[in-house]
Amino acid sequence: ERMSEFYKRSITGACIVGVISVAVYLGPYTFFLLCTAIGFLGLSEFYRLFRVLRPLHRIIPAFLLAGSLFASVFLVMNFNFGMDIFLVSIPIASFVLATSLYIKSSNPFNDIAIIFLGQIYVILGMIFFYCCAFVIDAVYEPLIIWGFFLFLWTDDTGAYIFGNLFGKYRLAPTISPGKTWEGSTAGAFLV
């Protein structure tokens, strides 16, 4: 059973590595699409975890805000638009706030906080990651991104293998029950 899980993870991992490598290699537009897709999936998962995905008319403005932030950074990084393009997001953020206030909820301010925290935690993180590819002379450099993923995959693979073989002490059982202190330490040393 352990080996079949290892093979499933290996095949899934190889497919993910292939998709990411192709997206990074093809250039800034495909890398942008990859970052946007990951950002939207991550945001959806974040909202699902905090149970704010319903009603839809509260969440749709939040995804519009995320889209406006992604579009703005794309225009700045690829077409030399000025930073004032980000001002487009202000009325959308106000719309997110307004729609959240007028929806029946037992704790509307908690919901608003979670909605904006998702934007900060997930979307701004992915935007920052996209911008990292342009850090040298504002020109797209895929080697930076491949280097990041090489470190990430090395850490993750080492932690998984070492944790399965020698792991005894759970790192965070309520969040991720399979992760161990031994695996995390081994992954950090490999990088």
Side-chain angles (χ1 to χ4, degrees):
E1 183 182 318
R2 233 182 198 183
M3 283 309 276
S4 75
E5 179 68 21
F6 177 75
Y7 287 127
K8 275 195 268 185
R9 284 180 177 246
S10 297
I11 290 167
T12 303
C15 292
I16 290 170
V17 167
V19 168
I20 290 172
S21 296
V22 167
V24 171
Y25 173 77
L26 289 176
Y29 299 166
T30 53
F31 180 54
F32 173 78
L33 291 174
L34 176 72
C35 288
T36 304
I38 292 170
F40 276 99
L41 288 171
L43 190 63
S44 177
E45 182 65 13
F46 185 89
Y47 290 158
R48 188 189 65 77
L49 286 171
F50 286 99
R51 297 180 179 91
V52 294
L53 274 177
R54 297 280 185 258
L56 275 180
H57 54 276
R58 171 177 47 205
I59 294 305
I60 290 172
F63 282 95
L64 288 174
L65 176 59
S68 74
L69 291 169
F70 270 118
S72 297
V73 81
F74 180 75
L75 293 172
V76 168
M77 299 311 290
N78 292 289
F79 297 102
N80 297 320
F81 273 63
M83 296 298 278
D84 54 345
I85 190 76
F86 283 98
L87 295 174
V88 169
S89 299
I90 292 174
I92 300 171
S94 300
F95 182 59
V96 170
L97 180 63
T99 55
S100 295
L101 283 174
Y102 290 103
I103 290 172
K104 266 190 184 176
S105 173
S106 59
N107 196 344
F109 291 106
N110 183 59
D111 295 345
I112 291 167
I114 290 169
I115 287 168
F116 282 105
L117 181 62
Q119 300 289 323
I120 294 165
Y121 182 69
V122 179
I123 300 304
L124 291 184
M126 286 310 300
I127 285 172
F128 174 75
F129 184 57
Y130 181 72
C131 291
C132 284
F134 295 86
V135 93
I136 299 173
D137 298 326
V139 174
Y140 178 73
E141 182 51 67
L143 288 178
I144 293 171
I145 303 304
W146 278 328
F148 169 81
F149 278 116
L150 181 64
F151 282 122
L152 179 71
W153 293 328
T154 301
D155 173 75
D156 201 38
T157 303
Y160 176 74
I161 291 170
F162 199 86
N164 271 332
L165 293 175
F166 305 107
K168 291 181 184 163
Y169 300 101
R170 301 284 172 219
L171 182 64
T174 55
I175 298 170
S176 187
K179 292 195 176 18
T180 63
W181 281 103
E182 296 84 357
S184 295
T185 305
F189 276 115
L190 279 174
V191 173

